[in-house]
Amino acid sequence: MSDKALPESLTLEQFESAVAELREILGQDRVYTDDINELRAYRDVYATTKDELHMPSAAIAPESVEEIQKILAVARKYVVPLWTISTGKNFAYGGPAPRKAGYVVLDLKRMNRIIEVNEKYGYAVVEPGVSYFDLYNYLQAKKSKLWIDPAAPGWGSVLGNLTEHGAGYTPYGDHFLMNCGMQVVLADGSVVETGMGSASTSNTAHLHKYGHGPAVEGLFTQSNFGIVTKIGIWLMPEPPGYRPYMVTFPKEEDLYQITEVVAPLRLNMLIPNAATTVGLIWDACQRVTKKQYYLGKGPAPPSALKKIAEDLNIGMWNFYGALYGPPPLMDNNWKILEEAFRSIPGAKFYFEGDRPDDPAWKYRAQLMQGIPNMAEFSIMNWVGSGAHIDFAPRSPATGEDAMKQFTTIRDRAHEYGFDYIGEFLVGWRELLDVFMLVFDRTDDEERQRAHECFGKLIEDHAKLGYGEYRAHLDFMDQIAATYSWNDGALWKMHHRIKDALDPQGVLSPGKMGIWPESLRK
Amino acid sequence: MARELAEMMKAGVFRALLVTFITCLLLSCSEKQSVDTVAVAKAEVPIDGAELYKQYCIACHAEGPGHPGTMRLGIRLGEDKAVLTKRTDLQAVYVKTIVRQGILLMPPFRPSEISDAELEALAEYLSTITKT
């Protein structure tokens, strides 16, 4: 018991008293304190740092708002830091692990009700524990004509991904944009419904986003100002037609022209969903591993990449998009898109049925149609015991910015001995870059190298003027520090809000670099 | 290309296409879809090993390409041991350990996701499926 991670401000006796009170609320079955049999599952198995840095002291799994209110009373009494998770699958950014060792994980997986699906208006109301698979299966069983918009791993939380500003691949891919109505429990136990949901006679809680007064939902995303216990999310009605397509490009430098061509098409919504340009290795991982092409140390050389491209009939860049709507509209739009893509030398086109044995095509076509899957995790098979953390900067959607980001990340990754595994999405007006830093998690030296590489990437991009939109636990402070305009005015404001809403700092201390006063350096 | 697009934009082509697209979506919605609101539903988890396998395992461990667990097991142990439900060598205690501790790229599953009772049923299913 002497090695037991504990909350910083608590003695073992105080901790045990707090746990005893939590057991009175939740029973024996939903309070987890066994380090080996229960809490090891709360590790971030993809972290670049040691498990001990994020080892929780306990985890608790409430099933209702009322139980959360009672838990908060205990947390305030003992000043127990609670780290909130939904389905706990936020891998690459920390998974279910808390920011610091000793926190108690507030695990909302068992709050898994699909409270409402409104077929007429196209929305669902869900709790944090509902995964994309859960919601998809529910809609299928009900023969609903509504689509979901899953993140690439289907086991993720609908609510959790939305509150982390996650994205998907249908036209409803900006998840927070599709939020309408939110229920939040504040640190003092009070429960707030946002927007129209707060009107006593409202019947538009999930139809109109704003209501009367400030729109506050954003304050509870990527933050620690409250515990989000319910959201409304708009769902896309099934369109009359759907046609996925893929365009491959042979050269690395084609990324410039792809981005220049795609950006205006996306801005004007001829491409209505996330316009995704996927790097060669990202796609190749669905079918092959690195060892099949390269047995040396460091990144796979250009000759190996060229051979992979030939063997798998893919490009150095592979663009995935989809047409939605009535056939005449899709026919008409495709004429414009085809002409645009044909302006890039070497472009090759593929449609449904052209790549029957390509799982990369299949899972992309599913995601753009709102069908959840787990295929993208195959990227971890690129190396032996693969793990990854994701670097996700944002820039204007221009060819120049795309190439600058690509070459900066590729060169830094190669310097540290890693492959470039990335994709670029034109979100709407901006370029969303995701670099998957894949490493062997059983190799301590490689983990350390990945950690250093990631830190350098943040520095590189800060100098170039690119900010990241999301961060792994270990890099939240470093990235927060890059949002420094006007002497860090934004984070100063976050801290003032934090101190006002959660003066004892019991809710997810350190989330995104927002710390309570007692823990600020 | 950019200039051509700008000209089309000026001519209102994109706006017309967008309006058409949205109108079609709305029409499709109003003509085809029910107006019922689905009643409150709980994502219940039955204590049935086969159902638990479908709910928690199959997305990564089903047969064929596109399943990262199957791919990894094929690389590590050979294709004859790649598909969990075709394995003859799985022991219940091993299944339970892997689920709670994770292995290679597979993260562990928490007791809040799969309870101990559910894990017993899942392990029983996977360790006996090829023997029954």
Side-chain angles (χ1 to χ4, degrees):
Chain A
M1 198 66 182
S2 59
D3 293 335
K4 176 83 179 168
L6 292 174
E8 276 181 35
S9 59
L10 267 63
T11 65
L12 180 59
E13 291 70 27
Q14 289 169 325
F15 172 72
E16 288 177 337
S17 295
V19 167
E21 292 193 32
L22 291 169
R23 288 194 198 283
E24 283 180 20
I25 298 165
L26 301 172
Q28 297 294 319
D29 290 349
R30 291 186 281 128
V31 177
Y32 313 114
T33 57
D34 185 317
D35 285 347
I36 303 299
N37 296 312
E38 295 172 333
L39 296 181
R40 276 180 64 77
Y42 285 85
R43 286 174 298 153
D44 173 17
V45 294
Y46 299 158
T48 52
T49 49
K50 292 187 182 302
D51 291 345
E52 303 90 89
L53 293 176
H54 303 291
M55 186 69 186
S57 56
I60 50 179
E63 293 182 344
S64 67
V65 166
E66 292 72 23
E67 287 185 346
I68 290 176
Q69 290 173 302
K70 291 175 184 173
I71 289 167
L72 284 169
V74 175
R76 293 194 303 272
K77 177 180 173 184
Y78 291 93
V79 192
V80 175
L82 300 173
W83 185 262
T84 305
I85 63 170
S86 298
T87 61
K89 305 300 185 189
N90 192 25
F91 290 109
Y93 302 103
R99 178 72 203 268
K100 292 178 75 173
Y103 288 10
V104 172
V105 178
L106 182 65
D107 181 345
L108 303 185
K109 174 60 193 173
R110 297 182 74 90
M111 290 180 67
N112 62 351
R113 290 187 310 153
I114 298 166
I115 295 167
E116 181 184 356
V117 172
N118 191 303
E119 200 73 20
K120 178 179 180 182
Y121 292 115
Y123 69 79
V125 182
V126 297
E127 291 187 326
V130 175
S131 72
Y132 292 112
F133 284 132
D134 292 335
L135 185 55
Y136 176 79
N137 291 337
Y138 180 84
L139 294 173
Q140 290 294 299
K142 297 291 179 186
K143 301 192 185 309
S144 170
K145 293 292 183 185
L146 298 174
W147 284 10
I148 67 166
D149 184 280
W155 63 5
S157 163
V158 176
L159 181 152
N161 186 275
L162 181 150
T163 55
E164 287 294 318
H165 301 167
Y169 299 87
T170 78
Y172 279 36
D174 183 341
H175 292 165
F176 181 49
L177 190 64
M178 298 304 155
N179 172 229
C180 192
M182 186 179 276
Q183 183 188 70
V184 184
V185 183
L186 302 179
D188 67 0
S190 55
V191 182
V192 175
E193 292 269 357
T194 67
M196 300 304 289
S198 66
S200 57
T201 56
S202 172
N203 54 10
T204 53
H206 309 297
L207 304 180
H208 175 71
K209 289 163 75 84
Y210 308 118
H212 183 81
V216 297
E217 288 83 359
L219 286 175
F220 300 101
T221 65
Q222 288 206 356
S223 87
N224 50 14
F225 300 155
I227 300 166
V228 182
T229 47
K230 188 176 75 175
I231 55 160
I233 182 167
W234 290 342
L235 303 178
M236 178 174 161
E238 179 182 291
Y242 168 68
R243 288 182 200 160
Y245 60 89
M246 173 187 184
V247 191
T248 64
F249 302 92
K251 295 181 293 188
E252 282 189 337
E253 54 268 35
D254 290 335
L255 180 64
Y256 181 98
Q257 195 58 25
I258 298 167
T259 310
E260 288 291 309
V261 163
V262 165
L265 296 170
R266 179 73 187 99
L267 179 63
N268 294 291
M269 298 175 77
L270 273 175
I271 298 173
N273 63 328
T276 308
T277 307
V278 184
L280 177 134
I281 297 178
W282 190 303
D283 257 14
C285 292
Q286 292 295 321
R287 286 186 277 176
V288 299
T289 66
K290 187 174 185 176
K291 277 187 178 173
Q292 291 173 252
Y293 288 87
Y294 182 61
L295 292 171
K297 288 189 179 300
S303 59
L305 302 185
K306 185 167 181 288
K307 182 74 167 64
I308 291 172
E310 289 167 2
D311 288 355
L312 304 185
N313 191 26
I314 57 178
M316 290 305 296
W317 297 106
N318 302 284
F319 181 86
Y320 292 91
L323 300 160
Y324 303 85
L329 181 67
M330 292 192 289
D331 292 342
N332 193 31
N333 284 4
W334 179 246
K335 288 177 190 167
I336 300 167
L337 296 175
E338 183 181 23
E339 184 184 344
F341 285 121
R342 282 204 189 282
S343 69
I344 305 172
K348 291 182 183 175
F349 295 81
Y350 301 91
F351 306 94
E352 192 71 58
D354 288 347
R355 304 180 71 90
D357 300 319
D358 182 356
W361 159 271
K362 184 180 176 187
Y363 96 83
R364 289 280 175 188
Q366 287 180 334
L367 289 179
M368 292 187 292
Q369 196 177 7
I371 301 173
N373 59 69
M374 291 295 294
E376 203 156 88
F377 262 53
S378 294
I379 293 174
M380 260 86 76
N381 286 325
W382 179 244
V383 298
S385 297
H388 71 114
I389 52 175
D390 289 358
F391 182 67
R394 299 295 179 254
S395 77
T398 71
E400 183 181 348
D401 286 293
M403 284 305 293
K404 195 184 291 182
Q405 285 204 24
F406 164 59
T407 54
T408 302
I409 294 172
R410 180 199 59 193
D411 293 350
R412 188 64 83 182
H414 286 184
E415 176 192 337
Y416 278 85
F418 298 105
D419 291 298
Y420 175 81
I421 305 178
E423 67 175 9
F424 287 84
L425 299 83
V426 178
W428 203 342
R429 286 160 171 78
E430 82 284 35
L431 192 63
L432 320 178
D433 178 4
V434 180
F435 166 56
M436 210 178 268
L437 177 48
V438 174
F439 57 95
D440 184 339
R441 70 186 181 92
T442 62
D443 182 334
D444 287 342
E445 187 277 328
E446 190 161 313
R447 276 168 57 150
Q448 175 62 28
R449 201 155 21 93
H451 191 83
E452 289 174 13
C453 179
F454 200 95
K456 284 288 184 191
L457 287 170
I458 297 170
E459 290 176 20
D460 293 339
H461 281 64
K463 287 174 190 164
L464 293 169
Y466 302 132
E468 290 75 50
Y469 96 110
R470 199 168 175 183
H472 185 275
L473 301 171
D474 288 319
F475 298 96
M476 286 177 175
D477 287 338
Q478 187 182 351
I479 291 177
T482 67
Y483 285 72
S484 58
W485 181 80
N486 195 19
D487 195 25
L490 181 59
W491 248 254
K492 286 179 182 173
M493 186 188 81
H494 290 333
H495 284 144
R496 289 167 69 183
I497 296 171
K498 178 66 176 171
D499 294 345
L501 290 179
D502 179 18
Q504 290 172 281
V506 296
L507 299 182
S508 299
K511 171 75 174 169
M512 308 317 285
I514 302 169
W515 293 93
E517 185 173 21
S518 59
L519 296 175
R520 288 204 286 273
K521 298 178 182 79
Chain B
M1 182 63 208
R3 190 178 302 123
E4 286 170 21
L5 288 167
E7 285 168 5
M8 291 174 76
M9 189 66 193
K10 261 189 213 166
V13 173
F14 285 154
R15 197 173 307 156
L17 286 171
L18 179 59
V19 169
T20 308
F21 177 58
I22 292 171
T23 305
C24 288
L25 288 179
L26 292 173
L27 281 173
S28 121
C29 178
S30 60
E31 285 172 1
K32 293 180 182 172
Q33 292 172 8
S34 153
V35 296
D36 292 343
T37 294
V38 179
V40 171
K42 180 94 177 171
E44 292 288 354
V45 180
I47 307 284
D48 175 327
E51 286 301 316
L52 289 165
Y53 173 78
K54 283 184 196 167
Q55 183 165 359
Y56 292 108
C57 314
I58 201 167
C60 287
H61 287 286
E63 191 165 8
H67 302 105
T70 302
M71 183 182 185
R72 173 46 56 187
L73 287 169
I75 295 165
R76 193 164 70 94
L77 302 175
E79 289 303 320
D80 61 323
K81 290 192 169 68
V83 181
L84 286 187
T85 51
K86 292 185 174 180
R87 293 274 290 271
T88 57
D89 62 336
L90 286 177
Q91 301 292 319
V93 66
Y94 179 77
V95 173
K96 286 191 280 187
T97 302
I98 296 303
V99 169
R100 282 284 183 259
Q101 304 294 326
I103 186 170
L104 300 173
L105 78 159
M106 174 180 159
F109 284 77
R110 312 184 307 279
S112 60
E113 299 173 88
I114 303 176
S115 69
D116 288 344
E118 290 165 347
L119 184 53
E120 289 287 343
L122 177 62
E124 173 71 11
Y125 169 73
L126 284 173
S127 61
T128 59
I129 177 70
T130 55
K131 302 179 183 73
T132 54

